[in-house]
Amino acid sequence: MNAPQNSLTTPVLPPELITRLQQAVGEARVHLDSDTLKTWGKDWTKHFEPNPSVVVFPANTLEVQAVVKLANEFGIAITPSGGRTGLSAGAVAANGEIVVSLDRMNKVIDFLPADRMVRIQAGVVTEQLQQFAEEQGLYYPVDFASAGSSQIGGNIGTNAGGIKVIKYGMTRQWVLGMTVVTGKGDILRLNKGMIKNATGYDLRHLMIGAEGTLGIVCEVDIKLERQPQDLRVLVLGVPEFAAVMHILQAFQNRLDLTAFEFFNELAIQKVIAHTGIPRPFESACPFYVLLEFEGKFEAVVDDAMQTFEHCMEQGWVIDGVMSQNQSQAATLWRLREDISETIAAFTPYKNDISVLITHVPAFIADIDAIVTEFYPDFEICWFGHIGDGNLHLNILKPANLTKDEFFEKCKVVNKHVFETVQKYDGSISAEHGVGMTKKDYLHYTRDEVEIEYLREIKKVFDPKGIMNPGKIF
Amino acid sequence: MNAPQNSLTTPVLPPELITRLQQAVGEARVHLDSDTLKTWGKDWTKHFEPNPSVVVFPANTLEVQAVVKLANEFGIAITPSGGRTGLSAGAVAANGEIVVSLDRMNKVIDFLPADRMVRIQAGVVTEQLQQFAEEQGLYYPVDFASAGSSQIGGNIGTNAGGIKVIKYGMTRQWVLGMTVVTGKGDILRLNKGMIKNATGYDLRHLMIGAEGTLGIVCEVDIKLERQPQDLRVLVLGVPEFAAVMHILQAFQNRLDLTAFEFFNELAIQKVIAHTGIPRPFESACPFYVLLEFEGKFEAVVDDAMQTFEHCMEQGWVIDGVMSQNQSQAATLWRLREDISETIAAFTPYKNDISVLITHVPAFIADIDAIVTEFYPDFEICWFGHIGDGNLHLNILKPANLTKDEFFEKCKVVNKHVFETVQKYDGSISAEHGVGMTKKDYLHYTRDEVEIEYLREIKKVFDPKGIMNPGKIF
């Protein structure tokens, strides 16, 4: 995080607004000190200077509603704030906003075992929810690197996905209901936890992925799942990318996969160098697949072994290893999960893109060609959730370039990358949202006619435009 | 179907509109004869007289767009029309509408094996999609009684569910993308088949469950699934309703159920009398559970047997039977699946309601008490998808009442039923939609503030109010 530039000054709020915010949430819950402003004004995106006017910490839905009504009355924008782990600056307050932090709204409200449903406040941290589920003998399957800090409300804002989507879907699939305060200040209780409810437009799904631009999600009904048992991990070495697709189909035809990830040799090299984890097997391969399944029954493990052998016979796999216990499984997972942390040292230029699985091979080849043409000395670290068509493209900064020089060059690549995304009807943001960093590129995925509908829907929920303005579009 | 009343006359369309409709979709695809008007102007709901002005059969999205633009220009309403199997009059054209039938838009456009995705026109019949999936060695899991006639576009309109929801979810879960013509006449290509796409509001989910009031779904990207293998069916006799809940939890903790249905003794009696199927076991029980799971591995079947024994020991189950082959499984399914057809002879007063699973026992007790209080001689045939909290309440007409007398009395019950739904935060329509038959009761599930948001969203997509007016609200 750079220090705020001196040219930025925090706007002065009307004293009456501050008094009334204090009345709404309690004096001690309205923070104006610069440390709080700096910390709660930003997320994990590092490109923007935080510059909110005030940070408030409401305790419940009614307090959130009171703040939203004040924001409408005084015409001051709000930035909803969760775990602030976003990578698209969706939770950055750079223009004197009121930051509404959900940090205090972190309570479990109710648990309904027959429905396998838990009702929580939206400030509950993902890991806290995962642990709560485990204590009930159940499972919350949405998982990703920032689960220790990200909050459910924020996950809903970007419809977070992660590493188990191939079996369990995105956050969307686990949200059975929510209580939301709209930009107009209305409290809506959406879907009330039901599985089946065909009574008009499902506004819940409009809130999911809205990045806090329509309202603030305050309470959520989350569905939990049976715990997976005896998870087995296979890591396979793959000679060419096309084989990854054959492997996916071969395994999917016989097993219910809980993960299907891929990474390239550069990624594994970096992880091994950084962590000291041994190679999964001797052979270095251009590509690797990590897949996971429930191995509760020996017959399923046999199916997996037979499929592995079939893939070897076909030449799709050069070598492979299967975990025999939990500790081995965890070590194999680190080959994939430690990539982000490992390459952070190389100031990577990151993209989170998605195309149909069918188009992945051609898409990767196109992007490789573009980067090689423009910057033959750049290294590309590929990894991602191939089973969902979701690729993380990370270009590593060469040592001889400064960060600014590097990002300047990457910006040139950006346009070509997004043109390629568009060529394959893909998404410029698979699971990170649009926020501020992607909004200039939104038109590569959503056409202008469609974006106009988004704007009109925004007006329905937030006619004064106070909810997280400047995000998405 | 009653004959149309003489008082209804078909409105006369401006001749210019007819000519231009003919130019838009072809002369032979514009029907004005009274047989076609009567047939395509109604769905399976029998309470309304069909009275459209014209029925058109476009062949593709562009033709649909042309019709929608004409409707806007001439200020004539449109009723989108699929398989017309709806039970809430969502596809009834009773006021001189242009019926836009998707019957000709029944083509499979593309199949992408790596994505397990099929791109189809929205007029494809559910069963046709199921068969196509099977031919590819895959599975389309949304299934219900009207699958032989219902079209995918209509399924999307009510977010159809059915008998496999406990494992596979509603139609919503299988729609990866769609091309829609909005009420304004814009063509939107929504989500393009991607699993992960976090680029602003997901309009696709707004269209699902909209009952054709926002636009016409023309093409759909449908996800397919691995075929289930060796499905096993258990039918269990249950002494009291509370035990049904224990059985659900016991089985869910050990198995991935593909169905969990229930019905009462009255239902099984009627089916046995109507079909001649034998009782599944000797004991007559107040309630029955039918559950299904994949029994590919012997160990899973053993788990099921152990759970069954546990339920017997606990006194939750009196007797039970497990299918040993496909034919036995099919016969057991008929005990549940033949209920609707069987009781049709009793002119049932039908409701399709949903509450949280936790609330099902109290809800059923309340409804039983209400009906018993008002009409002690009425028989209630209960059945439904307990695993989703979805109950089909069917009150059978006593032989001594005429249909009109009976429905008049049921209307009195209606209010109490829906008040009870509201008391338990439930849904007045779980999977049948609101259409015309439920719209007066919508406020029992969605409050007035929320309904106002629905109205405003409608205006965004359909400012002239030409898309299926009079439905939902």
Side-chain angles (χ1 to χ4, degrees), chain A residues 296-317:
Chain A
K296 185 183 167 192
F297 302 113
E298 258 327 296
V300 177
V301 180
D302 291 348
D303 261 7
M305 279 311 296
Q306 282 169 27
T307 311
F308 167 68
E309 281 157 19
H310 172 70
C311 290
M312 290 281 286
E313 281 160 24
Q314 297 292 320
W316 301 334
V317 169

Side-chain angles (χ1 to χ4, degrees), chain A residues 119 189 192, chain B residues 354-356 359 361-367 369-370 415-428 443-445:
Chain A
R119 201 157 261 171
R189 217 176 129 221
K192 302 168 186 169
Chain B
S354 153
V355 292
L356 293 187
H359 299 323
F363 177 81
I364 287 187
D366 279 12
I367 299 290
I370 288 165
K415 190 170 169 291
H416 299 291
V417 168
F418 289 141
E419 278 170 1
T420 311
V421 168
Q422 188 174 34
K423 172 180 162 190
Y424 290 105
D425 276 340
S427 175
I428 60 150
H443 65 276
Y444 287 109
T445 294

Side-chain angles (χ1 to χ4, degrees), chain B residues 109-260:
Chain B
I109 301 166
D110 201 2
F111 171 61
L112 306 176
D115 290 275
R116 289 179 164 179
M117 188 178 90
V118 59
R119 200 157 262 172
I120 56 177
Q121 288 185 304
V124 163
V125 168
T126 311
E127 204 171 78
Q128 180 190 349
L129 174 60
Q130 291 167 342
Q131 280 165 7
F132 178 85
E134 210 178 311
E135 286 159 19
Q136 318 306 320
L138 292 169
Y139 182 59
Y140 180 63
V142 181
D143 195 19
F144 40 79
S146 59
S149 305
S150 79
Q151 295 177 3
I152 297 304
N155 299 354
I156 288 173
T158 60
N159 189 25
I163 55 179
K164 303 280 183 159
V165 170
I166 193 171
K167 180 172 168 80
Y168 296 106
M170 311 289 285
T171 296
R172 184 183 301 285
Q173 201 162 317
W174 302 93
V175 176
L176 291 178
M178 59 172 73
T179 301
V180 64
V181 175
T182 69
K184 275 162 90 167
D186 292 317
I187 295 175
L188 304 183
R189 215 178 130 218
L190 301 175
N191 204 55
K192 302 169 186 169
M194 281 177 282
I195 293 168
K196 290 184 168 181
N197 177 19
T199 56
Y201 321 145
D202 196 331
L203 305 182
R204 162 183 56 143
H205 286 289
L206 212 43
M207 295 293 158
I208 298 169
E211 302 184 42
T213 61
L214 300 178
I216 300 181
V217 177
C218 294
E219 296 180 10
V220 192
D221 298 328
I222 294 278
K223 187 159 179 68
L224 302 176
E225 176 62 343
R226 180 180 64 74
Q227 284 179 345
Q229 290 179 308
D230 305 311
L231 289 171
R232 295 281 194 130
V233 176
L234 264 88
V235 173
L236 309 175
V238 185
E240 56 178 8
F241 190 81
V244 172
M245 297 295 137
H246 298 308
I247 298 166
L248 174 62
Q249 265 193 283
F251 275 94
Q252 264 190 322
N253 285 342
R254 297 192 60 171
L255 296 167
D256 290 330
L257 298 175
T258 53
F260 191 92

Side-chain angles (χ1 to χ4, degrees), chain A residues 44 85 87 126-127 130 142-150 160-163 336-341 350 383 385 392 431-432:
Chain A
W44 281 3
T85 58
L87 294 168
T126 311
E127 204 171 78
Q130 290 167 341
V142 180
D143 195 19
F144 38 78
S146 60
S149 306
S150 78
I163 56 179
R336 163 66 185 85
E337 291 238 276
D338 287 5
I339 297 174
S340 273
E341 194 198 310
K350 284 168 169 292
F383 60 100
H385 319 291
H392 295 293
E431 51 180 356
H432 293 174

Side-chain angles (χ1 to χ4, degrees), chain A residues 115 197 201 357-358 427 429 453, chain B residues 115 186 197-198 213 357-358 427:
Chain A
D115 290 274
N197 178 20
Y201 320 144
I357 299 168
T358 302
S427 175
S429 185
Y453 280 86
Chain B
D115 290 275
D186 292 317
N197 177 19
T213 61
I357 298 168
T358 302
S427 175

Side-chain angles (χ1 to χ4, degrees), chain B residues 337-413:
Chain B
E337 291 239 277
D338 285 6
I339 297 173
S340 273
E341 193 197 312
T342 297
I343 63 174
F346 300 89
T347 322
Y349 165 78
K350 283 169 168 295
N351 264 305
D352 166 45
I353 46 205
S354 153
V355 292
L356 293 187
I357 298 168
T358 302
H359 299 323
V360 165
F363 177 81
I364 287 187
D366 279 12
I367 299 290
D368 270 338
I370 288 165
V371 178
T372 309
E373 182 191 335
F374 284 86
Y375 303 108
D377 54 330
F378 281 11
E379 288 183 317
I380 302 184
C381 186
W382 281 110
F383 60 100
H385 320 289
I386 285 285
D388 327 313
N390 180 195
L391 299 163
H392 295 294
L393 159 66
N394 287 256
I395 304 175
L396 307 190
K397 188 180 79 60
N400 64 339
L401 292 182
T402 68
K403 190 177 155 184
D404 286 348
E405 286 168 347
F406 174 62
F407 278 111
E408 213 43 59
K409 284 173 186 282
C410 286
K411 269 194 189 162
V412 181
V413 181

